[in-house]
Amino acid sequence: MRLVLWNGSPKAKGSASAVFLDYLAGQAGPEHTLCRVGGLKAPAAADFRGADALVLAFPLYVDGIPGHLLGMLEALEADLRVLAPEAKVYAVINCGFFEAGQCAHAMELLRHWCRRAGLCWGRGVCIGGGGMANAAPLGRGGPLSPIARALDALAASVLSGGLGEDLLVQPALPRRLYVAAAHLGWNKTGRKNGLSKADLCAPLEKGAPR
Ligand SMILES: Cc1cc2nc3c(=O)[nH]c(=O)nc-3n(C[C@H](O)[C@H](O)[C@H](O)COP(=O)(O)O)c2cc1C
């Protein structure tokens, strides 16, 4: 099979999307051809020629698909219809909120895009608590084990060319711990940038740049 793995995060390194795509790529044996694309520059249409599967991993932005990625997907519609008419589309959407259900609208948007592009929807995984992706190993036994299990199921569908139900998963830890860790992270980043906790919580002045 020819698989195109598309990292739709704008981050050059350290993205959660890259962690999830690397995990999926690790499940494909040498009999499969993998083509990795991503970044802020649109991939070449030729990268998709003869693809059996398009696996998109991206972050949730404002309850939707990041603008740069959506623009690229729309621009590719006509080419994909010709170059990869048999490709099935699979997705891994991760978000900063703990609840995976936050990603459901973006998944729906992607299904609409599939219809417009004439491609077949395979299945998707919505991941909450994406901020944990680099904080713990993605495997059995740890807090990310529910995510690993969902990605295993997705990989099985991709590699068999199958369809399946969409899955919603989040780390196996209490929500309040995730939120507390997120607050610590925000405060630390604020301090590094010369902002106190009070600065971070201050209401925006009318007319101030956002
Ligand atoms: C501009 C922007 C908008 C975002 N919007 C949301 C959102 O609506 N809901 C949410 O849960 N997380 C939101 N996030 C958080 C990202 O989805 C989250 O940090 C994700 O783990 C990043 O994935 P990546 O490392 O693969 O880029 C947003 C982040 C940015 C930078």
Side-chain angles (χ1 to χ4, degrees):
M1 287 179 90
R2 180 173 161 73
L3 315 176
V4 179
L5 306 183
W6 187 338
N7 183 345
S9 171
K11 292 178 193 163
K13 55 183 180 161
S15 69
S17 302
V19 172
F20 302 139
L21 272 187
D22 287 347
Y23 184 85
L24 288 172
Q27 312 227 356
E31 68 278 21
H32 302 290
T33 306
L34 303 186
C35 171
R36 305 279 300 245
V37 299
L40 289 172
K41 211 170 138 257
D47 287 334
F48 299 90
R49 191 185 299 279
D52 299 293
L54 168 56
V55 185
L56 274 154
F58 62 88
L60 184 71
Y61 275 11
V62 200
D63 284 352
I65 300 173
H68 73 287
L69 177 63
L70 186 59
M72 291 177 198
L73 290 171
E74 285 175 343
L76 273 168
E77 280 169 18
D79 286 327
L80 287 175
R81 235 178 257 124
V82 177
L83 295 173
E86 303 300 326
K88 293 195 180 73
V89 178
Y90 302 87
V92 179
I93 308 179
N94 91 91
C95 70
F97 278 117
F98 188 69
E99 295 79 12
Q102 295 284 332
C103 304
H105 285 127
M107 192 81 88
E108 188 62 20
L109 292 172
L110 199 58
R111 279 199 221 96
H112 280 292
W113 172 79
C114 281
R115 271 201 289 280
R116 278 168 57 111
L119 299 174
C120 174
W121 174 253
R123 79 187 298 188
V125 177
C126 292
I127 299 177
M132 290 278 300
N134 285 296
L138 185 53
R140 304 286 165 179
L144 300 189
S145 55
I147 298 173
R149 275 197 299 275
L151 293 176
D152 289 343
L154 180 69
S157 296
V158 173
L159 297 174
S160 65
L163 314 179
E165 56 173 359
D166 296 339
L167 302 170
L168 277 73
V169 282
Q170 51 222 15
L173 85 166
R175 180 184 186 278
R176 64 190 153 74
L177 278 188
Y178 178 77
V179 173
H183 282 191
L184 282 177
W186 282 114
N187 289 333
K188 195 170 153 205
T189 307
R191 273 198 306 279
K192 258 206 242 158
N193 289 280
L195 294 169
S196 67
K197 203 171 160 181
D199 291 330
L200 292 179
C201 296
L204 282 176
E205 280 172 39
K206 219 174 165 194
R210 285 179 160 262

